[in-house]
């Protein structure tokens, strides 16, 4: 996703800070994907895992007004399970070498749309869904802001997971 960010720095007195060297980095990390109006839907891909990833998104000078435009074209390595938390760290360097730092966090969507599932409540204390019983699974398709959208040719596959003891698990299994 190509995102434009606008950066502006002032001196503490409020005066512009022109032509100063600036570096901005971002750390992207997975977060739970949730949308208002879909409280019990799962929008994250349980088959995808992603650790925190960092990238330098700007290394340059501010313009004469103390501003810069950053074209953030950061794509996570691998497949992101859903929405990401973007933690920005900006350093603006004075001519003498000292620097000021600002940090900012926001939600970052690596996708234009999301598919969510609302699973039925399972039985008893363990939430199990028995085989050979019909279960209704609700499906919602939304854009990155959570607005409902129509999705053509959506294919859904349901798998049975086998239960295992916690010590008998493997990296490539969900169960």
């Amino acid at each position: 996703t190509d995102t434009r960010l606008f950066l502006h720095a002032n001196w503490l007195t409020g005066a512009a800070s022109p032509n100063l060297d600036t570096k901005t980095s971002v750390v992207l990390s997975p977060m739970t994907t949730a949308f208002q109006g879909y409280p019990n839907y799962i929008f994250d891909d349980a088959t995808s895992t992603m650790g925190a990833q960092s990238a330098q998104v700007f290394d340059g000078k501010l313009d004469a007004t103390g501003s810069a435009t950053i074209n953030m074209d950061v794509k996570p390595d691998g497949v992101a399970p859903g929405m990401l938390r973007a933690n920005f760290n900006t350093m603006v360097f004075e001519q003498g070498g000292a620097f000021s730092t600002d940090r900012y966090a926001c939600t970052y969507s690596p996708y234009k749309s999301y598919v969510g599932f609302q699973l039925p409540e399972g039985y008893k204390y363990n939430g199990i869904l028995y085989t050979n019983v019909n279960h209704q699974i609700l499906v919602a398709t939304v854009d990155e802001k959570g607005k409902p959208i129509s999705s053509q040719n959506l294919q859904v596959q349901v798998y049975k997971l086998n239960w295992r003891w916690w010590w008998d698990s493997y990296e490539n299994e969900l169960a």
Side-chain angles (χ1 to χ4, degrees):
T1 304
D2 189 19
T3 304
R4 294 183 74 195
L5 305 173
F6 300 98
L7 174 66
H8 183 78
N10 285 339
W11 294 106
L12 290 176
T13 61
S17 54
N19 306 314
L20 295 180
D21 289 330
T22 304
K23 292 182 180 183
T24 299
S25 61
V26 64
V27 175
L28 299 175
S29 54
M31 60 181 282
T32 301
T33 304
F35 298 103
Q36 198 169 21
Y38 301 93
N40 297 318
Y41 281 75
I42 301 166
F43 288 94
D44 291 311
D45 182 355
T47 64
S48 298
T49 57
M50 179 187 141
Q53 300 176 10
S54 62
Q56 189 81 24
V57 293
F58 184 76
D59 187 355
K61 286 190 176 286
L62 300 175
D63 65 15
T65 65
S67 299
T69 300
I70 300 171
N71 291 316
M72 190 177 102
D73 187 19
V74 175
K75 293 175 180 53
D77 294 335
V79 178
M83 290 282 194
L84 302 174
R85 168 70 57 203
N87 292 301
F88 292 93
N89 183 31
T90 299
M91 297 187 300
V92 178
F93 294 86
E94 298 176 18
Q95 292 174 346
F99 62 89
S100 296
T101 300
D102 186 33
R103 290 180 174 84
Y104 177 75
C106 64
T107 301
Y108 178 71
S109 177
Y111 307 113
K112 297 286 184 199
S113 62
Y114 292 84
V115 177
F117 299 95
Q118 183 181 35
L119 301 174
E121 190 173 320
Y123 297 98
K124 304 206 180 192
Y125 62 91
N126 62 0
I128 191 170
L129 296 176
Y130 291 107
T131 55
N132 300 324
V133 175
N134 289 332
H135 300 284
Q136 183 178 12
I137 299 173
L138 302 178
V139 179
T141 54
V142 298
D143 67 12
E144 61 191 324
K145 299 201 184 304
K147 303 291 184 220
I149 59 172
S150 176
S151 181
Q152 302 294 325
N153 302 320
L154 181 65
Q155 295 181 5
V156 177
Q157 294 179 335
V158 178
Y159 295 92
K160 177 184 176 183
L161 299 178
N162 292 321
W163 180 84
R164 298 191 193 286
W165 290 101
W166 63 268
W167 63 79
D168 194 24
S169 65
Y170 302 95
E171 286 184 27
N172 62 349
E173 295 179 345
L174 290 175

